[in-house]
Amino acid sequence: MDTVCPWCRMGTSSLQTALKQLPEDTEITVRWHAFQLNPGMRPEGEEYRKVMIGRLGGAAQFEARKRQYNEYGAHFCLEFNMDIVKFTPNSTLSHQLIVITPEELKEQPIENIYTAYFENGINIGDVNELAELGKTIGINNAAELKFRLLNGEGLEEVKLGQRDAQNLGIRGVPYFVINNEVHLSGLKSPHEFIQAFENI
């Protein structure tokens, strides 16, 4: 998953919906692996609109893609206010924040980062913004969190996630691996996840 990927946000929501529909005694562990769509992005990021127009081939295509985000997002009760998003950030620091969060709490920073970026237009490549988000998961010392992030805590795990994805031949996200057996690429519905679980 990448924290700047709208489809990853939808895929995460779809997976969580599917998990809630499984029998209560189902034992399942979710592990999040960092993936960066723009690994070479400058630390300060780039203008979002400019990046997307260049990637999609024009302003009309960009406007159509924004509408698509909202149309698909509505199926998962998610909002995408892309008109207020100013930056395509380097997502490294946001992935580091997820890595250093205790395993049982990881869903919360992931949700908070998605909401901050896609709904509130916050630059999640800014360490000061991430330090504020850290407070929502109980990391109240902003100065300490900034120090940890800027000194590379969790960075090796982020790089490892990228290398693992390359070794698996993953070119894009969302991408899901279930029990090291079933590989699901792209946005999937909760029903498709449940079918995959049942097949295993």
Side-chain angles (χ1 to χ4, degrees), residues 158-175:
V158 175
K159 293 179 178 178
L160 179 61
Q162 195 78 6
R163 289 197 298 269
D164 286 345
Q166 291 173 346
N167 291 336
L168 286 171
I170 298 172
R171 300 271 186 261
V173 284
Y175 195 99

Side-chain angles (χ1 to χ4, degrees), residues 10-171:
M10 294 181 230
T12 298
S13 177
S14 182
L15 173 63
Q16 291 169 338
T17 299
L19 294 178
K20 291 174 183 176
Q21 296 177 25
L22 295 175
E24 290 186 5
D25 60 349
T26 303
E27 293 186 16
I28 201 155
T29 300
V30 178
R31 293 187 177 90
W32 307 95
H33 298 269
F35 183 93
Q36 290 182 280
L37 292 167
N38 308 296
M41 179 63 65
R42 296 180 301 178
E44 65 272 22
E46 296 182 20
E47 183 186 346
Y48 175 71
R49 181 177 178 83
K50 181 179 179 181
V51 169
M52 292 301 291
I53 287 176
R55 182 171 297 167
L56 297 173
Q61 291 88 334
F62 174 50
E63 294 301 322
R65 181 58 59 86
K66 287 193 294 182
R67 290 193 296 271
Q68 190 180 38
Y69 292 153
N70 284 318
E71 290 168 6
Y72 277 79
H75 293 292
F76 305 100
C77 300
L78 298 173
E79 293 184 27
F80 291 90
N81 299 322
M82 305 312 291
D83 285 329
I84 65 172
V85 174
K86 303 301 181 187
F87 292 96
T88 296
N90 184 305
S91 61
T92 300
L93 289 172
S94 62
H95 281 300
Q96 286 177 237
L97 176 58
I98 294 167
V99 167
I100 67 178
T101 302
E103 198 68 40
E104 67 276 10
L105 300 176
K106 285 193 190 298
E107 283 189 16
Q108 193 59 53
I110 291 171
E111 181 177 335
N112 293 347
I113 289 168
Y114 280 147
T115 300
Y117 184 60
F118 293 115
E119 293 187 28
N120 301 323
I122 291 173
N123 180 7
I124 59 170
D126 185 326
V127 70
N128 295 300
E129 298 286 5
L130 291 174
E132 287 300 310
L133 286 175
K135 294 178 181 179
T136 67
I137 56 170
I139 305 178
N140 294 314
N141 190 327
E144 178 185 344
L145 179 56
K146 285 168 59 176
F147 178 83
R148 293 170 67 185
L149 293 173
L150 292 175
N151 279 272
E153 187 171 346
L155 181 58
E156 189 53 43
E157 289 89 341
V158 175
K159 293 179 178 178
L160 179 61
Q162 195 78 6
R163 289 197 298 269
D164 286 345
Q166 291 173 346
N167 291 336
L168 286 171
I170 298 172
R171 300 271 186 261

